[in-house]
Amino acid sequence: MSGMDEPLRPQKSRITIYDEPVICRFCSRDVFIPYEVFVNVEQPGVNRRHVSYIAICHHCGQAKHFGDPSHYDNEKDNYIWALNQYLISIRSYKIKILFYVGKKGNGKITNFTNKLIQDFGIEKENINISNLKGVAELQIKISSLNEIEDIRSHIMNSARRLYITIKDLTIK
């Protein structure tokens, strides 16, 4: 958690203002990369600057402008921190994919496995493959910054492009 008395870091994160998440107006996601913007608020040459933020949506690239409404409360004699940042770290996932391959499906298994290796940067030792009665099973371990729904949609899109029908997809 950041905010408090330090500026937001330009890293993939979730941002809240008074504990309400900043949401992208275009795609309704809440993962952004924030950047500080310095604006000259006085006449040119005075060099009085105001700090605001531009956050770029990690999913669609839409920019969101906002300031830090943190302020000192004279009545309670304390500072009200409004802006918080929750950095998103790399997560490890275990993925199990069952898909139909037919009797001569070794080519489909190889193509699909190679596509996933390429897209997610998976090491060969993190993949287990088995083929039983026309249904192949891939067990994969990956580390990624992406959320589960992004990983799921990417796997489904890759399978569709290779004309593979997924029977079951589990991500933990």
Side-chain angles (χ1 to χ4, degrees), residues 54-71:
I54 294 178
I56 307 299
C57 177
H58 189 265
H59 181 74
C60 71
Q62 182 77 17
K64 177 127 179 130
H65 300 266
F66 59 93
D68 185 356
S70 299
H71 63 280

Side-chain angles (χ1 to χ4, degrees), residues 27 37-38 80 82 84 93 95 110 123 137 153-154 157 168:
C27 70
V37 177
F38 298 95
I80 308 296
N84 288 305
Y93 298 104
I95 303 170
T110 302
E123 301 288 330
E137 179 180 323
S153 67
H154 191 87
N157 288 337
D168 186 38

Side-chain angles (χ1 to χ4, degrees), residues 97-100 112 155-156 159 164-169:
I97 307 169
L98 295 173
F99 58 99
Y100 298 105
F112 191 44
I155 291 170
M156 297 300 285
I164 292 174
T165 304
I166 292 185
K167 179 179 178 183
D168 186 38
L169 173 60

